[in-house]
Amino acid sequence: MYSPFDFNEAMNHRKDFVEEALRPGSPAVGIAYEGGIALLSVNRSQRKIYEIYDRQMFSAIGRQADIENIRLASIQMMHQEGFERSPDDVSIQRLVGFSLSPALKKAFGEQFAAPFVIRALFAELGRQPGSDNFFTLNYDGEFRQHRGAAVVAGTSGAEDAMLEKIGEPNPGQSREEALHKALSAWSTGAREAIKRRLAIGGRDDGDDYNPLRDIDESEADSVFLRDELKNGKLEVGLLERRGARDSRFRLLTSDELDKLIQDHV
Amino acid sequence: MIEVAGDLWSLLEKRGHPLTRPEATAMPARPYDSPAGQGVGAGTGVVDTHGTTVIAVKYDKGVINVGDRRATANFAVMYDKSEKVLPIDDYTLLAISGSFARAMEAVRYLRTTFKLFERTYLQAMSLDGKLAELAKVVRAGIPDAMQGIGGFIPILTTFDRESNEGRIFFYDGMGARFESAEFGAAGSGSMQIRGVFDYIVKTKKPFHDMNREEALKEALFLLDIAADLDAATGGWAKVLPLATTITAEGIEDVPEDELRRIVADIDLQGGERIAPRR
């Protein structure tokens, strides 16, 4: 017979399975600044930051197939809504709350199908500074709204550390200031998740396996970042409030990225 | 799994959107309403609003589009401030004539579908792809157009960044596409001025050799003649026409004071040359 205990256990198994798959994911940081909003991440192979509608963009950690599925579904729902009604009626609040969250919750509860392995970050450009919107969406359909800044990372501990690093949201800050904060937060989050992985892979005292164990904490982030950028590529997507083009979205050019990295380390 | 369809057209088709199912909007012909052939929409009891004349000519930096501001329904003027040259992306303009309802829907469809394609596949739709999408929308209007409502004829102009030149494409009612080397015109006044384009090219110089000022002036002269010879095309006595350019830098409206100056020039020049009344 199937008891509530079995149900609980089955859900926990699924949760463990997904959490373990998410852990090594390269974090993504969303941050608002005076002239718009930015999403920042370091990609290890695939592109990670995508435009999904006129004032909306998206990044996620997880399995590529699931990320792609959510990306395409989001793009399609928003364009359909924008065509049948108006681009003004398209919002991530509706996308996440009414379309994606129920579908993810349903998929997570289906015992005999593979669950989505995804933790997604949606960002929406407001008309004025301070009115920008972020949503994070989890593999089980849970979602949260954030103002000013939001992150997704491999573990909740890593996410907490990242948000702490960013500190109080400051929508009036300059783009440079915001990107440096985001880059620091990314290093902290990625390092935090890896720390845990090293600890789990080794003995109880994970520090023996941590190559950064002898380095001062504040310096460790930049050493780690420099190392990560040897194999990975920094990626920054912007939605700019002002601009001559029809599209608000653009990726930072490689020159702009080089300058950001140089100023940072 | 969240279901994902291929493109906007199949998505709309699946949902039974009228754009993709024109037979759903077309009403059975009612020949007893009015004698066939009398005015727009004869036989359907429906009168739709029409845009009148739009003109596109090349110039040395790209393409200029001009259009009058009038929209008519049979013999009534529905609106005197309509915009008939509409951007569909950063480098593409659609000049529309004929049924406003359908043309505006086509513009929204194209804007959405170009963006959807680029965001989905992470590359811009090719020019050929864009022209095929437009043909699809024009073709879908045939059942309506055969009953006298809903037909529209577009001119698509773009700046081709690969060959670094402006390009002009015009369509027939069936969705056939033609590329023009120098100019294009559509709408009720376009037939009346067709020969004038050739006369200008043969006696002055090709449009693509003209500078912006020269080409703009010729285009406005042509629009003025269309307004003189076609009952539906609006002149500029009350409302200035609209002129828009596409160049390597993108789309730009010709400023109002520049238009006002050229229009005044044309009025003066044209007025002097008209033979005195007997």
Side-chain angles (χ1 to χ4, degrees):
Chain A
M1 221 182 97
Y2 196 71
S3 73
F5 172 75
D6 297 330
F7 176 78
N8 239 341
E9 192 177 38
M11 291 307 258
N12 277 332
H13 278 313
R14 288 170 81 77
K15 186 167 177 279
D16 291 346
F17 165 78
V18 178
E19 291 283 357
E20 207 43 50
L22 286 174
R23 188 185 293 276
S26 163
V29 188
I31 193 158
Y33 60 94
E34 189 274 329
I37 49 179
L39 282 186
L40 177 146
S41 187
V42 174
N43 70 45
R44 288 155 183 165
S45 56
Q46 308 262 12
R47 214 179 121 173
K48 281 202 51 137
I49 292 159
Y50 301 99
E51 176 186 29
I52 52 172
Y53 199 66
D54 293 1
R55 307 177 78 85
Q56 288 83 6
M57 58 181 170
F58 154 88
S59 187
I61 60 171
R63 294 239 167 96
Q64 202 56 40
D66 293 336
I67 295 176
E68 200 65 353
N69 192 252
I70 294 293
R71 181 177 81 87
L72 294 183
S74 304
I75 290 177
Q76 210 165 79
M77 286 166 192
M78 293 176 124
H79 283 77
Q80 187 181 315
E81 177 71 14
F83 174 73
E84 290 186 349
R85 283 199 191 88
S86 155
D88 295 343
D89 292 308
V90 174
S91 74
I92 49 171
Q93 149 88 33
R94 292 184 56 196
L95 173 79
V96 171
F98 294 87
S99 303
L100 297 179
S101 166
L104 284 184
K105 181 172 167 49
K106 188 162 178 287
F108 186 66
E110 273 171 14
Q111 302 283 329
F112 298 103
F116 275 86
V117 177
I118 190 166
R119 195 169 277 145
L121 171 55
F122 294 85
E124 182 169 73
L125 181 70
R127 308 272 162 195
Q128 293 93 32
S131 64
D132 307 311
N133 229 339
F134 296 94
F135 273 80
T136 51
L137 174 66
N138 222 8
Y139 55 86
D140 56 1
E142 284 300 298
F143 62 91
R144 276 185 64 188
Q145 185 176 16
H146 308 260
R147 295 275 181 188
V151 298
V152 287
T155 63
S156 59
E159 289 183 347
D160 292 344
M162 290 168 79
L163 286 174
E164 202 176 308
K165 192 91 186 176
I166 292 172
E168 274 298 297
N170 176 13
Q173 65 197 332
S174 73
R175 193 178 86 193
E176 280 61 40
E177 203 179 327
L179 289 180
H180 284 303
K181 268 189 209 167
L183 199 49
S184 301
W186 183 89
S187 315
T188 304
R191 202 161 70 88
E192 178 75 20
I194 282 186
K195 237 193 222 163
R196 299 276 168 87
R197 188 172 55 169
L198 288 166
I200 285 169
R203 286 172 256 153
D204 283 355
D205 179 13
D207 256 10
D208 283 353
Y209 288 84
N210 186 350
L212 299 172
R213 64 185 180 278
D214 295 331
I215 302 172
D216 168 43
E217 192 70 10
S218 62
E219 212 180 294
D221 275 353
S222 56
V223 172
F224 174 80
L225 179 64
R226 225 174 298 154
D227 202 49
E228 279 289 307
L229 289 177
K230 277 180 199 154
N231 303 317
K233 193 180 167 301
L234 181 64
E235 196 178 328
V236 177
L238 302 179
L239 283 168
E240 294 171 312
R241 243 180 286 280
R242 294 172 288 270
R245 291 176 318 133
D246 184 37
S247 175
R248 305 283 98 199
F249 178 83
R250 75 181 183 94
L251 289 171
L252 277 196
T253 62
S254 48
D255 286 349
E256 287 171 311
L257 290 173
D258 288 345
K259 191 177 177 303
L260 174 64
I261 294 165
Q262 251 168 28
D263 293 350
H264 193 77
V265 271
Chain B
M1 273 294 140
I2 294 171
E3 205 181 313
V4 174
D7 62 333
L8 187 62
W9 190 269
S10 47
L11 200 71
L12 295 174
E13 217 164 24
K14 217 159 62 182
R15 291 166 61 93
H17 192 280
L19 179 71
T20 59
R21 285 176 57 236
E23 69 276 14
T25 57
M27 271 152 276
R30 290 161 60 191
Y32 44 84
D33 272 352
S34 62
Q38 276 198 5
V40 174
T44 60
V46 175
V47 175
D48 61 347
T49 302
H50 274 213
T52 55
T53 306
V54 282
I55 294 168
V57 297
K58 286 194 185 171
Y59 73 110
D60 57 1
K61 297 271 174 357
V63 187
I64 293 179
N65 280 261
V66 300
D68 69 317
R69 307 291 300 272
R70 183 163 289 177
T72 60
N74 272 349
F75 297 108
V77 173
M78 285 293 280
Y79 192 45
D80 237 344
K81 288 198 176 90
S82 53
E83 296 187 12
K84 297 185 272 194
V85 179
L86 302 151
I88 42 181
D89 61 29
D90 283 339
Y91 288 94
T92 314
L93 279 172
L94 199 70
I96 53 168
S97 69
S99 169
F100 242 81
R102 204 155 178 97
M104 293 314 274
E105 196 159 63
V107 166
R108 285 189 326 111
Y109 171 77
L110 294 174
R111 276 179 188 160
T112 312
T113 209
F114 292 176
K115 282 184 191 169
L116 175 65
F117 184 96
E118 186 164 354
R119 286 167 184 157
T120 303
Y121 303 113
L122 306 174
Q123 66 182 62
M125 194 186 282
S126 69
L127 176 56
D128 237 26
K130 290 177 184 177
L131 291 166
E133 286 289 344
L134 178 53
K136 201 151 73 178
V137 193
V138 174
R139 211 161 46 231
I142 294 172
D144 278 1
M146 282 174 69
Q147 303 194 47
I149 54 163
F152 85 101
I153 306 282
I155 308 172
L156 183 141
T157 50
T158 184
F159 193 86
D160 188 336
R161 280 177 291 171
E162 274 171 38
S163 58
N164 204 34
E165 59 173 345
R167 296 178 72 176
I168 300 174
F169 299 88
F170 60 99
Y171 285 75
D172 74 0
M174 292 280 287
R177 166 225 306 180
F178 308 95
E179 177 161 14
S180 168
E182 294 292 334
F183 56 81
S188 57
S190 62
M191 282 314 263
Q192 283 89 325
I193 55 171
R194 214 180 144 164
V196 186
F197 286 100
D198 288 308
Y199 185 79
I200 292 169
V201 170
K202 285 178 180 169
T203 59
K204 292 186 173 170
K205 58 178 161 182
F207 286 104
H208 73 264
D209 284 340
M210 295 182 188
N211 63 31
R212 183 181 129 125
E213 171 95 14
E214 289 172 314
L216 183 57
K217 195 166 177 182
E218 297 298 349
L220 288 167
F221 248 122
L222 283 154
L223 191 64
D224 188 37
I225 297 171
D228 281 346
L229 301 182
D230 169 41
T233 301
W236 51 57
K238 283 186 186 157
V239 191
L240 275 181
L242 282 182
T244 313
T245 60
I246 320 179
T247 61
E249 277 79 53
I251 293 168
E252 214 178 322
D253 286 334
V254 175
E256 204 183 305
D257 46 348
E258 190 180 348
L259 272 176
R260 204 174 288 286
R261 180 173 56 78
I262 298 176
V263 161
D265 229 30
I266 290 174
D267 282 342
L268 199 67
Q269 206 174 327
E272 275 172 9
R273 288 188 186 162
I274 290 172
R277 233 182 256 185
R278 283 147 77 77

